[in-house]
């Protein structure tokens, strides 16, 4: 599935759980994209300020700084216009999905994840 357009895309996987990060990174890599990891909100903000990423898979429930707080900071900074931010969460109730989209997330990836779910959420980038 790897092609040159996918390989140009960079994904930042943000999750306080190392196993969840590694799994997401493995799927993103299998799809031909480049990926990096951040273990919490402050680390994610630092990475995003220092490097260019196309997509962020952002865990919602993290200690210290929630994914929603990270999202709010990114959406408030014009430097991150166009950055696709995907909520990465175990919360799957329909009203929760709606509130995450209203908060500014571009899409939702429900844990536990699998390759097909990751591919579906990243489909637009895999084609471009």
């Amino acid at each position: 599935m790897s092609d040159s357009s996918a390989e140009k895309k960079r994904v930042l996987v943000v999750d306080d759980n190392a196993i969840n990060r590694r799994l997401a990174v493995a799927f993103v890599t299998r799809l031909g994209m480049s990926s990096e990891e951040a273990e919490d909100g402050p680390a994610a903000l630092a990475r995003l300020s220092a490097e260019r990423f196309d997509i962020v898979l952002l865990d919602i429930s993290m200690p210290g700084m929630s994914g929603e707080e990270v999202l709010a900071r990114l959406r408030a900074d014009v430097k991150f216009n166009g950055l696709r931010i995907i909520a990465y969460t175990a919360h799957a109730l329909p009203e929760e999905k709606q509130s995450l989209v209203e908060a500014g997330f571009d899409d939702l990836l429900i844990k536990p994840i699998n390759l097909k779910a990751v591919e579906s959420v990243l489909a637009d980038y895999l084609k471009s």
Side-chain angles (χ1 to χ4, degrees):
M1 172 139 257
S2 174
D3 68 27
S4 61
S5 64
E7 289 172 9
K8 295 175 189 172
K9 304 302 180 189
R10 296 191 69 221
V11 180
L12 180 63
V13 177
V14 184
D15 196 316
D16 59 306
N17 182 296
I19 294 169
N20 288 343
R21 281 196 315 270
R22 285 189 206 116
L23 183 61
V25 164
F27 290 146
V28 167
T29 302
R30 183 143 181 216
L31 293 170
M33 295 179 160
S34 160
S35 61
E36 300 290 333
E37 301 177 35
E39 68 278 358
D40 59 23
L45 292 172
R47 293 294 300 263
L48 288 160
S49 292
E51 303 173 57
R52 186 195 62 76
F53 290 91
D54 301 292
I55 305 163
V56 179
L57 296 182
L58 182 57
D59 185 23
I60 299 302
S61 301
M62 295 184 290
M65 181 185 292
S66 73
E68 289 170 301
E69 185 178 343
V70 173
L71 171 78
R73 290 183 186 203
L74 294 172
R75 293 297 188 222
D77 188 336
V78 296
K79 178 169 92 173
F80 299 109
N81 285 357
L83 178 65
R84 184 169 181 176
I85 305 173
I86 299 167
Y88 177 51
T89 182
H91 305 290
L93 298 176
E95 58 272 12
E96 289 172 310
K97 179 175 183 177
Q98 184 62 32
S99 71
L100 291 170
V101 170
E102 289 173 359
F105 284 98
D106 294 298
D107 211 333
L108 178 64
L109 185 60
I110 305 295
K111 295 176 191 175
I113 64 170
N114 58 50
L115 180 60
K116 185 175 175 87
V118 174
E119 185 175 20
S120 176
V121 167
L122 300 179
D124 291 345
Y125 281 92
L126 294 170
K127 294 175 192 168
S128 62

